[in-house]
Amino acid sequence: MSIKKEILSIALTFLAYSAAERMAKRITKTAVQKREKEIQKEKVEELLSFIKKIHDANKLINEESNRLITWSLSIAGGSILAMISTSYVRPEGIYLYLYLLFPIGWILLSVSLYFGELATRIYIAGATVNNSSIEDIKQIGREADIKFARQLTYLRWGVFVFFLWLVSYLTWFVFLKK
């Protein structure tokens, strides 16, 4: 009888051990699946946060771009008004050629307007792009940044040209006008 008890004890121990092992595997598997779900949820949240940041940045770029477009149009309109309204105080001789800076400035402002329009179109494209395409979202963000930088660069050059004209005109007006 003691051999039967020993065999029975060994069998029960083996069964208990294998049941415990299966249960441990299930618990481990469940814990691993739970952790994987948590990691996946964190990745989705990070992705949504990234998409929101890109969208917000594109929105700010669009707003600034529209403001620069307004400035460009105001400068161009003001320069036309200055050229038309100063006919009675027009420089003579070589200083009259200073007005040739105006078309250069207008061209630079026009290029700035063009890149501003592209930035607005890119913003619209970013608002309609599929959120699952991360590369497209990144590309749209880069393109918006590039177009806005070019818009700003050409606006600065245009303002610089008009600044040169203004300094030259004021120099003529103060020191050389008779």
Side-chain angles (χ1 to χ4, degrees):
M1 278 236 209
S2 94
I3 293 179
K4 285 183 182 180
K5 284 183 181 178
E6 290 292 323
I7 292 175
L8 187 61
S9 174
I10 291 172
L12 287 174
T13 304
F14 178 73
L15 288 173
Y17 176 75
S18 71
E21 187 177 348
R22 276 186 264 136
M23 187 174 277
K25 283 182 182 179
R26 281 186 200 156
I27 291 171
T28 304
K29 190 175 182 180
T30 304
V32 168
Q33 288 174 343
K34 185 177 179 182
R35 181 64 186 144
E36 286 176 353
K37 285 181 181 179
E38 288 174 1
I39 291 172
Q40 186 177 9
K41 184 179 177 183
E42 288 173 3
K43 286 182 180 181
V44 167
E45 288 174 358
E46 286 176 11
L47 181 63
L48 291 175
S49 174
F50 174 75
I51 290 170
K52 185 179 180 334
K53 284 181 183 180
I54 294 287
H55 179 70
D56 290 346
N58 286 349
K59 184 176 181 179
L60 288 173
I61 287 173
N62 181 52
E63 290 170 1
E64 277 300 301
S65 177
N66 288 336
R67 189 171 60 90
L68 295 181
I69 286 172
T70 303
W71 285 5
S72 294
L73 292 172
S74 298
I75 292 168
S79 66
I80 291 171
L81 185 63
M83 190 169 69
I84 292 172
S85 69
T86 59
S87 60
Y88 61 93
V89 189
R90 184 163 303 227
E92 296 173 353
I94 197 165
Y95 291 99
L96 184 61
Y97 293 110
L98 289 175
Y99 283 95
L100 291 176
L101 289 173
F102 278 42
I104 296 170
W106 293 333
I107 290 169
L108 291 169
L109 291 178
S110 297
V111 174
S112 175
L113 289 171
Y114 170 74
F115 282 113
E117 177 64 24
L118 287 180
T120 299
R121 289 181 185 192
I122 290 171
Y123 172 69
I124 292 168
T128 61
V129 74
N130 186 356
N131 283 346
S132 64
S133 178
I134 298 304
E135 281 305 312
D136 288 345
I137 292 170
K138 287 180 181 179
Q139 182 64 27
I140 286 171
R142 284 189 291 265
E143 285 296 318
D145 188 46
I146 289 169
K147 301 305 184 220
F148 180 69
R150 288 182 180 167
Q151 178 189 13
L152 191 57
T153 300
Y154 283 103
L155 176 69
R156 286 178 179 161
W157 280 106
V159 168
F160 180 72
V161 167
F162 286 111
F163 174 77
L164 286 178
W165 173 84
L166 183 62
V167 169
S168 302
Y169 182 81
L170 289 175
T171 302
W172 170 82
F173 188 80
V174 171
F175 296 113
L176 301 174
K177 183 181 171 214
K178 296 179 182 178

